[in-house]
Amino acid sequence: MNPMAKHGIKSIFLLVIILSTLVISGCLNDEQAEGKVFTNKYNPADSWVVYWYICGTDLETQYGAATADIEEMLDANLPPNVRVIIQTGGSLQWQNDVMKDRAIGRYLYNSEGLQELEVIPDGDMGDKNTLKNFLQYGRDNFPADHQVFVFWNHGGGSAAGVCIDERTGNSLSLNNIQEAFADVYGTSPENPPFELIGFDACLMGTYDTANMLYGISRYMTASEEIEPGNGWDYAGWLGALANNPAMGGDGLGQAICDSYMAGCREYGTEEAATMSVIDLSKIPALRAAYEAFGAEALQEARSNPQAFFSAFGRQAQQAENYGGNTRDQGYSNMVDIGDLATKSQSLLPGTTQQLISNINDAVVYKVNGRYRQKGSGLSSYYPYDGDTDNFAKYIEQASAPLAQKCLYYYLLYGKLPAEADTIFSGSGQPAGAIVIPQGQPTQKICDVSAMEDLPVNIDNDGNSFVTLSNQQMDLLSAIHCQLVYIDESNDLLLILGSDSNIIGDWDNGIFKDNFNGKWPMLDEHPVYVEITTEEDGYNLYSIPIKLNGEECNLLVAYTYFDEKYHIIGARKGIDINGMGDRNLTILKAGDTITTIHYAMRLSDNSNEIIPVEVDTFTIGARPTFDDVFMGDGTYGYFFEFVSPTGDSALSQMVQFKINNGDIVTSIE
């Protein structure tokens, strides 16, 4: 656990002055698959066609990101046997003089350069038929020995899909993609029509995506994590294909990964980057192993639901997960299945080793930044936020396994669905069978509401602690601490954030505070901090701010080996459509930061918490994020009890009064 830290006396004093004027109403290295050499599989004279489906959306309208990648492509000199056909749309405005606004454009890039093929009436790039029409157009006009398909846009993982059209708000689900490809090409596990299908989009490196593409493509390349704005390096990987058309999809996927990570290093966005290559011929074995893992989990849940889901939830909380999965960042509900299986070995001993082995067999190449070293290369769904609407989208996907659908249905709705009988009997009903009845009420397995205001005690050393029964611990996936600053003279309570800085004994149910009068600060300015990831070598935190007037979250890592914080960058949270934001912004000298805190009036009986802007300042070339002793004052501390679906309850408040560095603890 990293030491909790807090603001200096001057900073707290300034913070109180600012808040009182507000009106508050109602050593780690990139991990790569080293030594991999993929042999050539084809004749160098074979022909290739790359389909590039560019749904420009706000990435193009606001940032010109699609234009930048098209310009990258133009730096790749293609031989006559390698061609790229491009379809553009889905954006309000294109930031170049070639692509047309409010129309579907089709273009060819080959050894003779970029040429316009046709401009057709506008279409919804988030509609299955638009994708299907592009596939049919390519098949009719550009036959080739080997085919590649690249989706370009936002992505949101298994439930949210990919390629959201900026004008319509529609996006392609996994079902949509599978149906469009199957309608045009059919499916053939022995001879898939595509050599590689890739996603230059966030969060699409999922088991469910790979399972959906079985029989359609030999390989898949995608990122488990949110991609930074630089995205794929089109000159790099297309140049590799141009130089060696004899390569197979595994070698091409490797070129995509390596050039992507090289680009991330160039832009300073590599620390949380991921990309992997999946051999889709391995999907049947992986599918059997993942479904067996889900079936074992479902059997254990049926025996003792609260004990199982709390323990499994703790593994999911500690496993590498993507997109943020916190209140400020939003929820992608995606967890690395290899890391989840590794952490669940004692809980699910019958299936974890086989699942880990099959994942390693299917993921033939991957690259990971230093804060994403636990990723196996494939993620899948876990309901971190307990949102049933998001879950409903997940269970609609035919490629998602039935056992996992039943497992999470049980967690969210408090009862087993009828389809679970097929898992227990081993009859093997198709994965897409489960349906949520309209208006189905929830009765969550792990209800922590009774733990609100749980009593706290103080030991002989002045440490506050709570003692939990086995039944109470069986409701919890995590225990965090919440710290607040109390200013009675100005009638204010300021929430400072959450951390994992608790001395926990899960065997005996005793959890103690580890408060030492510190909290993190950005360039000596107080910030609200929320813990997002707890790993063996580091913690990750999210800090809500405005960066040059735009609301986003500053991402910060605390590494144990050097006991220091490291600023990763800033990005917006998951949007209302479940899509990740690709624009990871690296802080630079001259940037303006506005800190965002959460506060309430002590006298307000409604307990309404309001976000408030506090400090605005300009950072220099080397912004610091560090632990600082707090000033004199009164601070409230709560043990936060978190359920497997993200619900929480707070203990009775512990009060810390600091005077000249001395801390006096009492119970309110």
Side-chain angles (χ1 to χ4, degrees), residues 27-31 223 225-228 230 260-275 320-322 367-375 533 535 538-541 554-559 561-562 564-571 584-587:
C27 217
L28 303 160
N29 298 306
D30 292 344
E31 179 187 326
S223 170
E225 183 55 285
I226 292 177
E227 282 192 6
N230 51 277
Y260 167 75
M261 188 59 82
C264 290
R265 292 193 189 97
E266 180 182 349
Y267 286 95
T269 58
E270 78 280 5
E271 293 180 317
T274 65
M275 192 68 65
E320 187 164 291
N321 58 88
Y322 307 105
V367 291
N368 305 69
R370 63 176 178 169
Y371 299 128
R372 285 293 177 263
Q373 292 199 358
K374 302 296 183 181
T533 300
E535 279 290 359
Y538 56 88
N539 286 352
L540 298 181
Y541 296 88
L554 184 66
L555 308 180
V556 175
Y558 178 89
T559 50
F561 80 94
D562 60 359
K564 291 182 179 179
Y565 292 97
H566 305 270
I567 298 173
I568 298 172
R571 65 159 42 103
L584 178 66
T585 303
I586 305 303
L587 300 190

Side-chain angles (χ1 to χ4, degrees), residues 328-329 520-523 525-530 541-556 567-573 583-588 591-598 611-617 619 623-625:
D328 273 316
Q329 293 174 300
M521 294 174 59
L522 174 61
D523 269 0
H525 293 271
V527 292
Y528 173 90
V529 176
E530 190 170 45
Y541 296 88
S542 172
I543 297 94
I545 61 170
K546 279 188 174 180
L547 176 60
N548 300 321
E550 292 283 336
E551 286 192 15
C552 57
N553 294 286
L554 184 66
L555 308 180
V556 175
I567 298 173
I568 298 172
R571 65 159 42 103
K572 295 179 182 178
N583 291 289
L584 178 66
T585 303
I586 305 303
L587 300 190
K588 63 183 184 303
D591 280 340
T592 299
I593 304 289
T594 299
T595 59
I596 298 175
H597 293 258
Y598 297 91
V612 291
E613 298 178 14
V614 181
D615 291 340
T616 298
F617 55 97
I619 61 172
T624 61
F625 196 89

Side-chain angles (χ1 to χ4, degrees), residues 20-88:
S20 64
T21 64
L22 295 173
V23 177
I24 303 180
S25 59
C27 217
L28 303 160
N29 298 306
D30 292 344
E31 179 187 326
Q32 292 192 188
E34 297 178 356
K36 281 274 189 178
V37 177
F38 296 108
T39 58
N40 289 336
K41 291 182 169 59
Y42 302 116
N43 189 308
D46 283 359
S47 60
W48 288 78
V49 62
V50 176
Y51 293 71
W52 193 6
Y53 193 79
I54 307 180
C55 181
T57 198
D58 63 312
L59 295 172
E60 175 63 17
T61 298
Q62 296 184 29
Y63 309 107
T67 293
D69 280 351
I70 293 168
E71 290 174 347
E72 275 184 4
M73 175 194 67
L74 299 179
D75 289 333
N77 295 316
L78 302 184
N81 60 333
V82 178
R83 297 175 293 177
V84 181
I85 53 171
I86 304 164
Q87 178 162 301
T88 61

Side-chain angles (χ1 to χ4, degrees), residues 41-283:
K41 291 182 169 59
Y42 302 116
N43 189 308
D46 283 359
S47 60
W48 288 78
V49 62
V50 176
Y51 293 71
W52 193 6
Y53 193 79
I54 307 180
C55 181
T57 198
D58 63 312
L59 295 172
E60 175 63 17
T61 298
Q62 296 184 29
Y63 309 107
T67 293
D69 280 351
I70 293 168
E71 290 174 347
E72 275 184 4
M73 175 194 67
L74 299 179
D75 289 333
N77 295 316
L78 302 184
N81 60 333
V82 178
R83 297 175 293 177
V84 181
I85 53 171
I86 304 164
Q87 178 162 301
T88 61
S91 183
L92 289 171
Q93 184 176 8
W94 288 84
Q95 304 300 318
N96 62 63
D97 297 329
V98 178
M99 281 71 199
K100 306 298 190 295
D101 298 336
R102 300 188 179 278
I104 295 293
R106 288 174 177 160
Y107 306 87
L108 170 68
Y109 181 61
N110 60 9
S111 57
E112 298 178 3
L114 182 67
Q115 305 132 58
E116 182 180 287
L117 295 172
E118 62 178 2
V119 176
I120 60 178
D122 199 5
D124 183 350
M125 292 285 279
D127 184 272
K128 177 186 75 173
N129 290 321
T130 305
L131 171 61
K132 179 179 174 180
N133 291 340
F134 180 46
L135 287 166
Q136 190 65 59
Y137 175 82
R139 183 174 189 179
D140 292 343
N141 295 282
F142 296 94
D145 296 315
H146 312 292
Q147 300 183 115
V148 175
F149 197 100
V150 178
F151 291 92
W152 189 101
N153 185 243
H154 291 294
S158 297
V162 70
C163 287
I164 184 166
D165 190 299
E166 183 178 25
R167 292 87 45 82
T168 66
N170 295 326
S171 57
L172 296 170
S173 69
L174 300 188
N175 286 349
N176 292 155
I177 295 170
Q178 197 280 334
E179 291 163 5
F181 276 88
D183 285 351
V184 175
Y185 282 97
T187 60
S188 173
E190 297 77 21
N191 188 28
F194 281 79
E195 182 68 18
L196 180 143
I197 293 178
F199 296 83
D200 189 359
C202 301
L203 301 166
M204 296 307 295
T206 83
Y207 160 83
D208 312 290
T209 308
N211 191 28
M212 175 270 295
L213 292 175
Y214 178 66
I216 295 172
S217 182
R218 298 183 190 278
Y219 295 91
M220 179 185 91
T221 300
S223 170
E224 293 186 88
E225 183 55 285
I226 292 177
E227 282 192 6
N230 51 277
W232 289 15
D233 181 347
Y234 286 83
W237 70 267
L238 278 172
L241 179 60
N243 291 330
N244 182 21
M247 67 169 56
D250 48 5
L252 181 58
Q254 181 184 39
I256 292 169
C257 288
D258 288 348
S259 60
Y260 167 75
M261 188 59 82
C264 290
R265 292 193 189 97
E266 180 182 349
Y267 286 95
T269 58
E270 78 280 5
E271 293 180 317
T274 65
M275 192 68 65
S276 53
V277 184
I278 315 304
D279 180 350
L280 298 177
S281 71
K282 308 296 185 181
I283 286 298

